[in-house]
Amino acid sequence: MNKQPQREELLKLIEANRGIIFKICNSYCKNEDDREDLAQEIVYQLLKSYAGFTVEHKFSTWMYRVALNVAISFYRKTRTGSNVIRLGETATDIEDKTNYNAELEQNINRLQQFINELKELDRALMILYLEEKNYKEMSEILGITETNVATKISRIKDKLKQQFSIVNN
Amino acid sequence: MKDISLQNIWKAQDEKLERSLKLNLRIFESMQTQKAQSKLNALVRFKTVAVVIGVLWSAFLGLLIYGNQGKNVYFTVSVGMILFFSIWATAAYIKDIILLKNLDYSSSITNTQKKLAGLQVSTIKSVRIILLQLPFHSTWFWTQKLVTGDTRFQLISFPCTFAFILITIWLYKSISVQNMDKKWVKTFMNIGPEYKSVTRARDFLSEIEEFKKDQDIKA
């Protein structure tokens, strides 16, 4: 089989799913430079790991595994004490203020901050939950049982809700 | 806050991200031109340097043994044992590099992260192997004449070698992942650049175990 079309095909798939990469980068990196480095690293590893991808796997499941594994490894390698996004810091560096919704903007930043404060593995789990993955898929990506996924999500959600209510009151 | 609103807030990011095109264009351009290089290779680089040093050191020891031509059995055995432990440690580093190079990032997160953290922690194993050669550094200069005919030499050298053996056993037992927080182990390990990454990896391994453990309790 010709390798080039496979690579082209993969690049198209990655591009179509690039939102996943950017959201993961935002959740594991504070600085724009780090996010860019991480995004590049994820794409690099996706291309490198493509040989192991088989049609039995759902593309997004495979992509989440690679992206989250790379993000956690990258985070662990580069993290410093200040690697947490604080309230008021924009995680996505968007300057476009068209249809600017201050409350939504604030909530996005808060959610991003709360997620950034979670431990690496809990963060991965929460990203998958927010991406509306089902328990089965989450357990396959994380390598834990569905029961464990459900228990942890419930616990983290309670924690996040509590944090939101503290900030809002 | 309702559950659904967390997911809605998360979804609202999509729109923002779609407008942030600077990043993705640059990334995909570099991918197309194959400029990208992995930046996650710090551990591979560290272990590669260790392998190069190990190979050079082993070659030097091999030359010494070859040069001696078996004339002095104490020298041959001592340097031979030092060589053996050096090759063993070097081989352990080579094995780690191969495992790191072939690390499957598409495996489940707990599995991959556990392997990766395990490979960082394994630096300790290599240090322990290297330590095993310590007693032989006190015997390579022995000769048959000194060992059998020189009382003063016997009174100094034998206790010294015995002390080296005891120290080696103690160090081998004491320098472990579990003891990494002890002050003297920290000082000892700080000689190399890997102390922090080993302790972090050890802590992360515990986190992974904890992350997986809930299933046993709750299931």
Side-chain angles (χ1 to χ4, degrees), chain A residues 104-112, chain B residues 9 12-13 16:
Chain A
L104 182 65
E105 185 85 18
Q106 201 176 33
N107 279 335
I108 291 172
N109 284 339
R110 275 178 191 160
L111 179 61
Q112 197 68 65
Chain B
I9 294 168
Q13 273 195 110
K16 289 180 76 179

Side-chain angles (χ1 to χ4, degrees), chain B residues 17-57:
Chain B
L17 288 165
E18 278 303 316
R19 286 179 275 152
S20 178
L21 292 168
K22 278 188 296 179
L23 184 62
N24 83 43
L25 286 174
R26 220 177 302 162
I27 291 160
F28 283 96
E29 269 169 25
S30 65
M31 289 300 132
Q32 295 285 0
T33 50
Q34 302 194 345
K35 279 179 194 164
Q37 288 296 318
S38 176
K39 292 180 179 70
L40 290 177
N41 281 337
L43 191 56
V44 172
R45 279 194 292 275
F46 168 76
K47 289 187 188 268
T48 305
V49 170
V51 167
V52 171
I53 294 169
V55 168
L56 290 174
W57 175 240

Side-chain angles (χ1 to χ4, degrees), chain A residues 10-160:
Chain A
L10 177 64
L11 279 167
K12 278 179 193 165
L13 280 167
I14 295 171
E15 195 152 10
N17 290 280
R18 66 188 184 280
I20 294 173
I21 298 175
F22 298 145
K23 278 188 266 190
I24 289 173
C25 291
N26 278 336
S27 302
Y28 282 92
C29 296
K30 179 187 174 185
N31 303 316
E32 191 183 347
D33 285 347
D34 282 348
R35 287 200 290 272
E36 194 168 326
D37 282 350
L38 174 56
Q40 186 155 320
E41 188 70 47
I42 290 171
V43 178
Y44 173 85
Q45 292 294 345
L46 284 167
L47 292 170
K48 201 179 152 206
S49 307
Y50 192 51
F53 175 71
T54 55
V55 280
E56 300 99 67
H57 293 108
K58 197 174 164 187
F59 181 78
S60 68
T61 304
W62 175 80
M63 189 166 168
Y64 273 112
R65 275 183 172 182
V66 176
L68 285 168
N69 263 323
V70 173
I72 292 169
S73 308
F74 187 91
Y75 170 80
R76 290 180 47 71
K77 183 176 164 276
T78 59
R79 75 173 161 179
T80 59
S82 61
N83 211 3
V84 169
I85 296 171
R86 296 284 162 210
L87 285 179
E89 289 182 48
T90 50
T92 43
D93 294 326
I94 309 296
E95 296 301 323
D96 186 357
K97 300 291 179 190
T98 318
N99 300 322
Y100 182 77
N101 181 332
E103 196 190 344
L104 182 65
E105 185 85 18
Q106 201 176 33
N107 279 335
I108 291 172
N109 284 339
R110 275 178 191 160
L111 179 61
Q112 197 68 65
Q113 186 207 337
F114 295 150
I115 289 168
N116 270 270
E117 285 171 351
L118 293 172
K119 285 181 177 177
E120 297 99 299
L121 298 170
D122 287 342
R123 206 180 306 179
L125 177 70
M126 209 52 203
I127 290 169
L128 294 171
Y129 164 75
L130 293 168
E131 286 287 307
E132 297 180 359
K133 297 284 140 195
N134 60 43
Y135 286 174
K136 187 174 181 293
E137 207 172 345
M138 281 192 250
S139 81
E140 279 174 12
I141 293 167
L142 292 163
I144 58 175
T145 64
E146 288 182 47
T147 321
N148 202 7
V149 167
T151 313
K152 285 185 189 305
I153 283 178
S154 162
R155 204 186 60 215
I156 299 168
K157 259 181 358 192
D158 286 347
K159 194 178 163 187
L160 288 186

Side-chain angles (χ1 to χ4, degrees), chain B residues 134-152:
Chain B
L134 202 59
F136 299 100
H137 285 276
S138 70
T139 58
W140 60 269
F141 51 87
W142 287 10
T143 61
Q144 191 64 31
K145 196 177 165 189
L146 285 170
V147 170
T148 53
D150 191 330
T151 317
R152 204 172 59 175

Side-chain angles (χ1 to χ4, degrees), chain B residues 95-111:
Chain B
K95 187 185 155 205
D96 285 356
I97 291 170
I98 293 167
L99 289 171
L100 276 167
K101 287 271 184 190
N102 295 315
L103 189 71
D104 182 10
Y105 280 97
S106 65
S107 183
S108 74
I109 290 162
T110 46
N111 187 28

